[in-house]
């Protein structure tokens, strides 16, 4: 009975991993990079590498961009103030045609040149939870399916682990490759289990309204009501107003808000339906010193500047949801935790990658020539090393393309993303065409691309690691370059070791019962 | 700088706690080429490790608050356990000193001889 149960759990673990492993790796890889999305943005947008301002600029400095938004009949306009992680002021507004982002110098208030990239916040982070598949929310559904599978994989992994406590710390690098892979898989899985489970579960909670819309409909007459309450947007106007109204003084409202909050600064200022009679101004308090995503929002009537509302204390359930969102989204500023998340995220990628490799190694001897094996092999190369290569190509393209690059009517940001997908597709094809050399060649490619990205950053901006390490405001760039160089060294080391192993083949002995 | 030192101290204490737990197991004692512990000593080592783990949790919460403290502790927990595994895998001799110190937990000063060649 117990053996049957364990065997069925093993079957579920194996096939859920093989079928959804590619999506899981993409989600965890992009999520890991998203931990440092602002820092990657700083690397990809050299014009934003500026020293932090000592005091915030008056909000009226951004009035011209608000007027532009009103002229373009924008649905909203917002300002995101600088913080520890991003030095520049971001202004966003959405017109009927497109979403516009403008960046301003935090000291002079002068508009910075358009970087022409989506960066990490515009591409890597959305990819993490949508896979950039917008059609009928298909991407979010696939991510949800993979997340549920991840939870099942965590539970079944513990069940099928025969010696969970006896081999809790076991890692045998001198044993045969397959044994070492299984040890590494078990180690990353068991020791990182709290991280895998909490991050996966909190991710599901964040997107729960997509997966379980019925639960919201059961409580709220209109699902928008839930969205407004969760995000502290209860001030949003219901009826559209007439055009031609102005927006009252932003600084006067900001001064009132600071008094209410005892001196705390607003982090985001939002104007809904700017230039209409029903417009609203809202000030979101900064909440980067706590885990929970606080939505303390004070709103004003847009045309008059009259105080309209303050977000009510959230329901305990919503508060729990905000805590889980905070744990997942890490909007707080805690550098040590950010690095720990990054390292543990890489651990999750190791877990998924070694799972794929172990599946291949246990079947290589008996099924290597079969169609199914070749499919999974190509899929594994594209999913594991392939997406890393594609990401590095994205970074290299960012440093190589001219500021106003345009090809076949495609702008710079689209070309960067095109380079990402082209490289990713190529790695899948490479895996299918050259199965015996794919890991060596793709590892070498990672090493070369990572080093090239750091080198190109130096050549195109003059910011080499020796310079960036000695300027506090350039530490995000230094961090990115150091990670790229360490990654390059590890990838090249892996290439050398794999090449040596190929030259001196070792016999494969499959211990009984080792196959999952 | 003080913060870096405190976080490093937390990590090191957790590392020692996991090393104590690992070194109560036969394969890891063999890897460090030290004699096996008596059952009572192993229990004492595990209790000490448990105290260290809980102690760091309390200190992290006291210093960082509930949310950050718990997250920091949980993250360092995984990382330090992985560090123990990797060190036992690649350089077990680095933990030999701790493994020998643990012999002092044997109350009757008797140790089970171990054939390290085996």
């Amino acid at each position: 009975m117990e053996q049957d149960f364990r065997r069925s759990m093993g079957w579920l673990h194996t096939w859920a991993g093989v079928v959804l492993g590619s999506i899981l790796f993409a989600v965890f890889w992009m999520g890991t990079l998203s931990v440092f999305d602002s820092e990657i943005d700083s690397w990809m947008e050299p014009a934003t590498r500026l020293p932090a301002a000592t005091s915030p600029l008056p909000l009226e400095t951004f009035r011209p961009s608000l007027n532009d938004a009103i002229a373009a009949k924008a649905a909203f306009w917002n300002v995101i103030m600088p913080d520890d992680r991003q030095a520049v002021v971001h202004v966003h507004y959405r017109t009927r045609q497109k979403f516009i982002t403008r960046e301003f110098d935090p000291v002079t208030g002068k508009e910075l040149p358009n970087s022409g990239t989506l960066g990490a916040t515009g591409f890597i982070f959305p990819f993490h939870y949508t896979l950039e598949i917008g059609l009928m929310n298909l991407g979010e559904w696939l991510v949800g399916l993979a997340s549920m599978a991840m939870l099942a994989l965590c539970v079944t992994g513990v069940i099928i682990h025969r010696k969970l406590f006896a081999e809790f710390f076991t890692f045998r690098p001198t044993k045969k490759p397959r044994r070492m892979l299984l040890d590494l898989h078990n180690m990353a899985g068991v020791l990182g289990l709290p991280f895998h489970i909490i991050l996966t579960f909190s991710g599901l909670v964040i997107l729960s309204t997509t997966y379980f819309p019925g639960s919201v409909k059961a409580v709220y007459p209109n699902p928008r009501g839930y969205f407004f309450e969760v995000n502290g947007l209860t001030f949003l106007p219901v009826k559209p107003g007439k055009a031609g109204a102005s927006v009252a003084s932003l600084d006067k409202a900001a001064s009132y808000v600071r008094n209410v909050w005892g001196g705390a600064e607003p982090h985001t200022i939002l104007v809904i339906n700017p230039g209409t009679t029903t417009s609203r101004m809202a000030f979101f308090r900064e909440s980067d010193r706590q885990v929970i995503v606080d939505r303390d929002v004070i709103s004003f009537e847009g045309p008059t500047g009259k105080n309209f509302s303050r977000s009510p204390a959230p329901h305990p359930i919503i508060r729990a949801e905000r805590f889980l969102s905070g744990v997942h989204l890490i909007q707080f500023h805690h550098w040590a935790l950010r690095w720990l998340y990054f390292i543990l995220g890489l651990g999750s990628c190791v877990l998924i990658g070694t799972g794929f490799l172990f599946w291949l190694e246990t079947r290589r001897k008996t099924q290597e020539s079969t169609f199914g094996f070749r499919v999974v092999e190509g899929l594994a190369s594209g999913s594991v090393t392939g997406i890393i290569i594609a990401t590095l190509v994205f970074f290299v393209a960012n440093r190589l393309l001219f500021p106003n690059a345009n090809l076949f009517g495609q702008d710079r940001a689209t070309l960067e993303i095109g380079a990402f997908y082209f490289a990713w597709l190529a790695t899948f094809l490479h895996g299918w065409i050259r199965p015996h050399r794919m890991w060596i060649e793709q590892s070498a490619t990672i090493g070369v691309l990572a080093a090239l990205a750091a080198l190109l950053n130096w050549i195109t901006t003059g910011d080499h690691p020796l310079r960036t390490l000695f300027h506090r405001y350039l530490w995000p760039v230094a961090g990115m370059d150091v990670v790229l160089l360490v990654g390059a060294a590890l990838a090249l080391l892996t290439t050398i070791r794999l090449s040596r192993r190929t030259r001196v083949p070792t016999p494969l002995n499959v211990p009984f019962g080792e196959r999952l | 700088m003080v913060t870096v030192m405190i976080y490093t101290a937390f990590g090191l204490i957790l590392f020692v706690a996991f090393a104590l737990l690992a070194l109560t197991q036969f394969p890891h004692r063999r890897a460090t080429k030290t004699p096996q512990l008596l059952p009572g000593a192993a229990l004492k080592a595990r209790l000490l490790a448990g105290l260290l783990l809980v102690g760091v949790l309390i200190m992290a919460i006291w210093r960082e608050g509930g949310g950050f403290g718990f997250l920091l502790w949980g993250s360092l927990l995984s990382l330090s356990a992985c560090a123990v595994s990797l060190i036992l895998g690649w350089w077990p001799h680095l933990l030999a000193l701790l493994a020998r110190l643990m012999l002092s937990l044997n109350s009757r000063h008797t140790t089970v001889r171990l054939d390290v060649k085996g």
Side-chain angles (χ1 to χ4, degrees), chain A residues 157-159 161-169 186 190, chain B residues 25:
Chain A
V158 170
I159 293 169
H161 198 321
R162 288 171 191 275
K163 298 171 182 171
L164 186 65
F165 292 106
E167 293 189 352
F168 198 78
F169 296 102
N186 288 341
V190 173
Chain B
Q25 293 179 312

Side-chain angles (χ1 to χ4, degrees), chain A residues 180-232:
Chain A
M180 189 189 76
L181 278 173
L182 185 60
D183 280 348
L184 204 54
H185 183 70
N186 288 341
M187 195 178 83
V190 173
L191 302 182
L193 195 65
F195 179 81
H196 307 316
I197 290 181
I198 290 173
L199 268 287
T200 307
F201 178 71
S202 56
L204 280 168
V205 168
I206 291 170
L207 293 178
S208 60
T209 48
T210 302
Y211 310 133
F212 308 108
S215 57
V216 174
K217 284 176 188 166
V219 180
Y220 294 84
N222 184 345
R224 284 165 68 94
Y226 168 78
F227 177 76
F228 291 161
E229 191 174 341
V230 164
N231 294 296

Side-chain angles (χ1 to χ4, degrees), chain A residues 145-378:
Chain A
L145 181 67
S147 303
M148 289 300 293
M150 183 69 185
L151 289 178
L153 283 164
C154 288
V155 175
T156 53
V158 170
I159 293 169
I160 62 174
H161 198 321
R162 288 171 191 275
K163 298 171 182 171
L164 186 65
F165 292 106
E167 293 189 352
F168 198 78
F169 296 102
T170 302
F171 172 56
R172 290 159 285 193
T174 51
K175 295 276 180 181
K176 292 193 171 57
R178 195 179 45 257
R179 182 77 250 175
M180 189 189 76
L181 278 173
L182 185 60
D183 280 348
L184 204 54
H185 183 70
N186 288 341
M187 195 178 83
V190 173
L191 302 182
L193 195 65
F195 179 81
H196 307 316
I197 290 181
I198 290 173
L199 268 287
T200 307
F201 178 71
S202 56
L204 280 168
V205 168
I206 291 170
L207 293 178
S208 60
T209 48
T210 302
Y211 310 133
F212 308 108
S215 57
V216 174
K217 284 176 188 166
V219 180
Y220 294 84
N222 184 345
R224 284 165 68 94
Y226 168 78
F227 177 76
F228 291 161
E229 191 174 341
V230 164
N231 294 296
L233 302 173
T234 45
F235 60 86
L236 281 174
V238 181
K239 294 175 185 173
K242 290 176 186 168
S246 61
V247 176
S249 169
L250 295 164
D251 284 318
K252 205 174 163 185
S255 171
Y256 173 84
V257 160
R258 285 190 197 101
N259 281 339
V260 173
W261 287 335
E265 288 289 329
H267 180 257
T268 304
I269 298 96
L270 171 71
V271 181
I272 291 287
N273 293 341
T276 67
T277 50
T278 56
S279 72
R280 299 267 190 275
M281 282 189 281
F283 291 75
F284 292 71
R285 187 177 181 164
E286 60 182 7
S287 62
D288 52 12
R289 303 280 176 248
Q290 56 191 22
V291 176
I292 191 167
V293 180
D294 194 3
R295 299 282 188 198
D296 191 354
V297 187
I298 296 179
S299 65
F300 302 84
E301 288 179 359
T304 61
K306 189 179 160 192
N307 182 225
F308 182 73
S309 71
R310 184 175 182 180
S311 55
H315 190 275
I317 299 291
I318 299 235
R319 200 169 160 75
E321 194 270 349
R322 285 183 187 176
F323 180 78
L324 286 170
S325 298
V327 167
H328 192 100
L329 297 172
I330 41 170
Q331 290 178 350
F332 48 78
H333 291 179
H334 195 297
W335 63 266
L337 267 177
R338 197 164 290 279
W339 275 104
L340 289 170
Y341 266 61
F342 181 73
I343 295 167
L344 292 171
L346 289 180
S348 302
C349 294
V350 168
L351 170 72
I352 301 162
T354 49
F356 259 130
L357 290 172
F358 183 75
W359 190 94
L360 290 170
E361 284 300 313
T362 48
R363 287 158 180 80
R364 189 174 297 282
K365 207 172 179 182
T366 53
Q367 301 175 21
E368 191 171 14
S369 56
T370 61
F371 176 73
F373 183 88
R374 294 290 306 279
V375 167
V376 177
E377 196 171 38

Side-chain angles (χ1 to χ4, degrees), chain A residues 25 34 39 54 71-72 88 106 118 131 142 161 195 198 240 255 269 342 375 411 422 430 436 459 476:
Chain A
F25 194 93
S34 299
E39 288 74 13
T54 47
V88 299
L118 290 177
L131 304 173
L142 283 173
H161 198 321
F195 179 81
I198 290 173
S255 171
I269 298 96
F342 181 73
V375 167
D411 63 9
F422 180 78
H430 176 253
H436 296 291
I459 293 169

